[in-house]
Amino acid sequence: MATMQPFERPEDFVNAAREMADAGRPALARLLAEEAADRTPDPNTAQQILAEFPGRSLRQEG
């Protein structure tokens, strides 16, 4: 059985977001993309990530 590696880099979250988008789970893809953007130090790259997964934020901050 393969062990799952923890997400550590923004790229890990982007890859997972793409997988979720391909699986027809756009809401989960958007949440993962938002996490990737938050962890990306360059604001331009963060904007590109979010543009790849359009939609409004579904986060529940509180």
Side-chain angles (χ1 to χ4, degrees):
M1 181 197 294
T3 60
M4 197 162 162
Q5 297 296 318
F7 291 3
E8 296 178 1
R9 304 170 301 146
E11 295 84 7
D12 298 329
F13 288 91
V14 171
N15 291 337
R18 288 182 180 132
E19 288 181 23
M20 290 300 104
D22 290 345
R25 306 207 48 199
L28 186 51
R30 177 63 188 197
L31 288 170
L32 288 161
E34 289 176 7
E35 189 63 33
D38 287 350
R39 294 169 181 255
T40 300
D42 177 48
N44 292 325
T45 302
Q47 287 291 12
Q48 290 172 347
I49 291 168
L50 293 176
E52 185 176 345
F53 303 93
R56 64 179 183 83
S57 177
L58 301 172
R59 289 181 173 178
Q60 294 183 357
E61 306 283 336

